[in-house]
Amino acid sequence: QVQLVESGGGLVQAGGSLRLSCAASGRTFSSYAMGWFRQAPGKEREFVAAISWSGSSTYYTDSVKGRFTISRDDAKNTVYLQMNSLKPEDTAVYYCAAGYGTAGPFKSWGQGTQVTVSS
């Protein structure tokens, strides 16, 4: 199993940008599909983006298409989520997860990083 640690969250004004990072332990990182999820207060956790183990395929929820970009650097065992044109409704705790396919199930989860977008 892989251990995941997110970083890069914070407070940003609407229209701003943040880049989240998720560092993974273990030598099998490159064999995992990786995903980003988020959970806003009072809401269920939702899918944000995923990237295949090869990096050749990416998927996004409709609300972030054109604004967010998921990428991976297997040499650094890290997956990223570049978030541009942030909106207040993007405010949530963001989690990264590892699985054997971009459709899940995702087996390993990080502890989350808070993203707050002020209007």
Side-chain angles (χ1 to χ4, degrees):
Q1 201 167 10
V2 62
Q3 280 73 50
L4 305 171
V5 178
E6 302 96 335
S7 62
L11 174 64
V12 64
Q13 288 188 330
S17 299
L18 282 175
R19 188 177 79 156
L20 304 184
S21 300
C22 174
S25 64
R27 291 177 290 180
T28 59
F29 173 77
S30 59
S31 66
Y32 288 99
M34 299 298 296
W36 285 97
F37 295 76
R38 65 187 180 187
Q39 187 167 20
K43 295 187 177 181
E44 294 190 352
R45 185 170 59 192
E46 66 169 349
F47 168 80
V48 176
I51 187 167
S52 62
W53 66 270
S54 67
S56 61
S57 299
T58 57
Y59 305 90
Y60 300 91
T61 192
D62 286 346
S63 63
V64 309
K65 285 181 181 176
R67 299 189 298 123
F68 290 11
T69 303
I70 188 171
S71 61
R72 65 189 298 157
D73 184 340
D74 288 350
K76 295 182 178 180
N77 277 13
T78 301
V79 63
Y80 304 97
L81 185 68
Q82 178 66 46
M83 306 186 294
N84 299 328
S85 301
L86 283 161
K87 304 175 180 180
E89 51 263 43
D90 294 318
T91 295
V93 178
Y94 283 71
Y95 300 89
C96 71
Y100 292 111
T102 53
F106 289 89
K107 296 290 190 178
S108 299
W109 294 82
Q111 82 291 348
T113 186
Q114 176 70 47
V115 172
T116 303
V117 184
S118 63
S119 58

